[in-house]
Amino acid sequence: MNKVRLNERIKIQSTSWLIMLPGIVLFAFFLWVPLIQSIRMSLYRTRNVELVEFIGFNNYLSVFRNPDFHQAIANTFTYTFWSLMIGFLVPIFMAIVIGETVRGRGFFRTAAYIPNVLPGLAAVLLWSAFFSAERTGVINILLGYLGFERMAFLSEAHLVIPLIVVTATWKGAGATALIYMAGLAGINPELYEAATIDGAGVLKRIRYITIPAIFNLGSTLLILQIIAIFQIMYEPLVLTSGGPDNASLSVMLLMWRYAFGGNMDFGRASAVAVIIAIILLIFTAIYSLVNKYKTDWDG
């Protein structure tokens, strides 16, 4: 009897592994193989993608000694700050406002998602027309009507990162808001009805019902947002090319410069990629520990 059960268990496990095998193969091919190859390439002097000579950690030392790397790291943390101030809060605000809307909720959901349909590059080019320092720049046209002088928005070092974050937020906030709205849909309506009967206004309902209900979802999207902002590249590349004076240079854009900016130094580009991966792994580990601590505390 035990032998029959053992055979059945082996058969079930074998079937499960066979079902998962295509996904495992694709996962390894498109994720682990490139990752291992990047780590390997970061330890070599390269000619384009050809490994020429093993040089150990010299690529990493070269990257760390480059002042542009220090600037890129500082800028990336600035991107993260503004992304949390703007890009993280705006979708939550949109979801709550649309959720509290009585009429036209479907229209507002569709309108919020439309920017996400646009290709990323097209959205950046659209906003470059808004921020243009020329007379044809949309914002400068509006400023002209109000009697103000023209401004070169993307040439102001203290403005360029917040403006790039605004661009990225406009592109992706609607899709994130829909995720929050899905989370809000799972809240029992009786909770809101009971709160309304007890005299709770909109702000109190949001504070004591809505926010606690989406807290876990928000914490997950928070770490995903940090991971995404560390990979920001084409927005500063198209809008400012990392300028003015490297004020908008991100670590991903620095990696692109190493790889495609003229020297085709894929060794140092791979070193930057590995450094980014290590930083994000640290953030993810911290998030996992905090989340585990919170779960144990709540339990």
Side-chain angles (χ1 to χ4, degrees):
M1 190 69 176
N2 291 334
K3 186 176 181 180
V4 173
R5 289 181 179 178
L6 180 61
N7 290 335
E8 289 179 354
R9 184 178 301 176
I10 293 174
K11 184 178 179 181
I12 292 173
Q13 290 182 352
S14 301
T15 304
S16 301
W17 279 106
L18 285 174
I19 293 172
M20 293 188 296
L21 185 61
I24 294 172
V25 171
L26 290 174
F27 185 80
F29 182 77
F30 287 105
L31 181 67
W32 290 108
V33 171
L35 178 60
I36 294 171
Q37 184 64 19
S38 294
I39 295 173
R40 183 186 176 207
M41 188 175 288
S42 70
L43 302 175
Y44 280 79
R45 183 170 61 84
T46 61
R47 184 184 300 113
N48 293 336
V49 294
E50 179 187 356
L51 305 182
V52 176
E53 179 187 2
F54 180 80
I55 56 175
F57 292 101
N58 284 355
N59 282 327
Y60 292 91
L61 294 175
S62 176
V63 168
F64 281 121
R65 290 168 182 163
N66 188 348
D68 289 349
F69 176 75
H70 304 156
Q71 182 70 49
I73 286 291
N75 289 345
T76 302
F77 278 101
T78 305
Y79 276 115
T80 303
F81 170 78
W82 283 108
S83 178
L84 297 182
M85 293 295 101
I86 301 173
F88 181 69
L89 296 178
V90 167
I92 297 176
F93 177 77
M94 291 172 60
I96 292 174
V97 170
I98 295 174
E100 292 288 336
T101 301
V102 178
R103 295 182 179 179
R105 189 177 299 176
F107 168 79
F108 289 117
R109 284 178 178 173
T110 304
Y113 189 75
I114 285 176
N116 200 71
V117 177
L118 292 175
L121 186 58
V124 175
L125 292 174
L126 174 66
W127 278 94
S128 69
F130 273 80
F131 297 136
S132 174
E134 304 297 329
R135 294 185 181 276
T136 55
V138 175
I139 297 180
N140 276 319
I141 291 174
L142 296 176
L143 290 176
Y145 284 136
L146 296 175
F148 294 100
E149 294 292 329
R150 266 187 326 183
M151 289 186 62
F153 294 97
L154 297 177
S155 296
E156 299 289 336
H158 65 287
L159 290 177
V160 63
I161 289 181
L163 293 179
I164 291 174
V165 170
V166 167
T167 302
T169 300
W170 179 86
K171 172 71 173 63
T176 307
L178 289 181
I179 297 174
Y180 281 114
M181 279 185 265
L184 293 175
I187 302 175
N188 190 345
E190 294 180 359
L191 294 175
Y192 288 111
E193 293 173 4
T196 303
I197 293 173
D198 289 340
V202 174
L203 294 179
K204 284 190 175 181
R205 292 201 303 269
I206 291 172
R207 178 181 177 184
Y208 293 107
I209 300 176
T210 303
I211 292 179
I214 62 173
F215 181 83
N216 290 334
L217 175 61
S219 63
T220 301
L221 292 177
L222 173 65
I223 189 63
L224 293 177
Q225 176 119 9
I226 293 174
I227 292 173
I229 206 65
F230 261 79
Q231 299 176 33
I232 191 169
M233 190 192 76
Y234 67 82
E235 289 90 351
L237 175 63
V238 174
L239 288 173
T240 63
S241 296
D245 195 23
N246 287 339
S248 60
L249 179 66
S250 66
V251 285
M252 284 295 290
L253 182 53
L254 179 64
M255 185 188 73
W256 183 90
R257 283 184 179 179
Y258 277 132
F260 305 105
N263 294 329
M264 303 290 283
D265 191 345
F266 282 86
R268 283 193 286 181
S270 297
V272 175
V274 172
I275 293 169
I276 296 172
I278 292 172
I279 293 173
L280 293 179
L281 281 173
I282 292 172
F283 277 126
T284 305
I286 293 172
Y287 164 75
S288 299
L289 289 174
V290 171
N291 194 48
K292 183 178 182 300
Y293 175 79
K294 180 182 178 300
T295 303
D296 294 341
W297 180 267
D298 293 340

